[in-house]
Amino acid sequence: MTAVGRRSWVIADGWIPPRSTGDDLALVSHEAACMLNANETPAHVIFTYSSPSAIRGITLYHHSARRILHQNLEKLPGAAIAKGTDYCVLIESDQPIVVQHTRLDSRQAANALMTTIAFPCD
């Protein structure tokens, strides 16, 4: 099977909504990096954050072969990104992966879901 994906991705428009409505945990405002490793080899993934207040965190992940991983970007260990703060993230992998960026904004009763493929850098 031909390798699927790229090794470097950027999410340039990071912003976690500062609040949510309702009590359903599935509808809490958040952002996620949805990653597909369609290859036969596990991937080691590095997240590097940047924001106006210079918050930076680097997190290593082991992403299994032929699996998907939905990672809440607010819940990465070592990356304290405050809600309501602009940020960017560079996602680098030692294996080709596909990265999709998703934001759920539930600040009002009419929820908004935005999703897009991250920008492939290589």
Side-chain angles (χ1 to χ4, degrees), residues 12-94:
D13 180 27
W15 184 79
I16 301 168
R19 62 186 181 284
S20 305
T21 59
D23 297 327
D24 189 343
L25 290 178
L27 296 177
V28 172
S29 294
H30 69 278
E31 290 200 331
C34 306
M35 295 168 284
L36 167 66
N37 181 1
N39 305 301
E40 299 294 332
T41 305
H44 295 89
V45 181
I46 301 171
F47 294 81
T48 304
Y49 287 87
S50 176
S51 74
S53 60
I55 297 171
R56 288 185 170 79
I58 298 175
T59 304
L60 299 173
Y61 269 97
H62 179 77
H63 186 13
S64 299
R66 301 183 59 106
R67 298 286 186 269
I68 59 170
L69 175 65
H70 290 195
Q71 177 60 55
N72 185 322
L73 293 174
E74 181 184 6
K75 295 183 179 179
L76 283 169
I81 297 174
K83 290 184 177 188
T85 301
D86 294 329
Y87 70 92
C88 298
V89 63
L90 171 64
I91 300 171
E92 298 172 288
S93 174
D94 64 349

